[in-house]
Amino acid sequence: MKKYYVIALVAIVAILVLLIGNIKGKYDGYVQEVSKQIDKSLDIAMEEEMGIRQKSIRLNDLEGPIFGIRLHLTTQDVVDSIMNLPQVKDGTYRVDIVDGRKERAEGIPELEITRMHNQDRYIKHQIYIDLPVLDSIFCYWLKADIPHLFTLLDHDTIQIKSYGDVGIKKGNYTKLKRVGLHEKQTLKVQASIPVEDFVRAEVIPLLLSFLLMLLALACVLIQLTVIRRKELELKQREMATGGIIHDLRGPVTTAISIVESLQEGQTDEGMKAIESRNEVMLRHVLHEIETLGDTIREERMQTTIHRKPTDLVALAETVRREVDVVFQSKHHTIIIDNQLPQDKKLMLDADKVERILRNLVENAVKYADAGVEVRVRLAWQNNMPVVSVQDNGWGIAPQHLKKIFKQYYRIEQPSGRHRNGHGMGLTNVQHLVKAHGGKIWVQSHPGKGSTFSFTLA
């Protein structure tokens, strides 16, 4: 029963892991999507904020004419550019060298390098980013209520100024944006992407997943309760059946002894034959009782083998004689083909081997038409006895061959061939053979009969 609880626990853990993994995956995707939206809105806001500053403050008015030289140009390109400069009144020019080689190597776009260079010029005159304006533009493009904080840092990462939700201690979004090329100012952006929005968006799937988990858990618990109850009922049934078998075995054994005693003192041959038949039928009933008992012991793995010197040929003859009596109304022939060494005694459990033989021979006669011939072959191979029971009866279809040893498995026969059975005989045979350290197998063809063979170690 413990394995059922282990299976249930594994199933519950698996459901929880899948549920948590699903939620985490969706949340990570949600955070990533919002982060991309923040990045895009921030880039636009920085560009537009700088455009507003350029309109309000013209740096050329403060610095004079500027000629910008980019270091990726060749020396001749620079000389040619300077020589072609237009003349101004005082004849002076200010040359502004833009060294963006490092940034270009880092993959920063040319337009971004230009913007950072322009920011350098504003920083030089202490005209810093207007954070309230930046915040206003950022919120317009973001179109979402996400708490955020802008902090402007100098080249020593000392705060110059900040604007926004100062209550943000540690958000789930942080980004550092370089403001200039040389002045090394940095804009630190912190945001707290709200979990509430995610919960609201995913509340129905979460609830459904939770309810499904509860339903699965309830089903598992119900099944465990049912299985436990059934297991207790089966144990009680086994105990009751075992008691009935024990109670039946005694009277039947006593009746067999009484019939044997009557036969010894009987002088009338007719009555003697009747009593002999009664003895065989009682032994047949005892065999069925023992088969049922073996089935119960097999389920509990409690079969014990008591070995003693056994004449296998004598056992086969006893089975042949008794099966002839039980099926005397059916025309059949049972042949014992003895190929064992003469007077060979084997260390076997005689009672259990007799039940093996009886079951196989009875099946051979039962599942066949009148006139069936059954051959019991006793041989010695590889230093062990090999027994085969061959018949020319109905045979077994290939799809049934791997299932016939399963408990309670029965082959549905066509109309006119139905025989009573409980599907325990061959299961019991296989169990008893294995208890002797042997193995059993079958070869069969529909309409040509079957051959059951087994070894006894």
Side-chain angles (χ1 to χ4, degrees), residues 63-67 82 84-96:
E63 299 175 344
I66 296 176
F67 170 65
I82 295 174
N84 292 325
L85 286 174
Q87 295 294 321
V88 294
K89 291 180 179 180
D90 58 4
T92 60
Y93 292 87
R94 181 176 178 274
V95 179
D96 192 6

Side-chain angles (χ1 to χ4, degrees), residues 367-369 391-398 413 417 444-450:
Y367 298 105
D369 296 324
D391 66 72
N392 58 354
W394 298 339
I396 303 170
Q413 300 292 350
R417 284 187 171 183
S444 185
H445 299 281
K448 296 183 179 180
S450 306

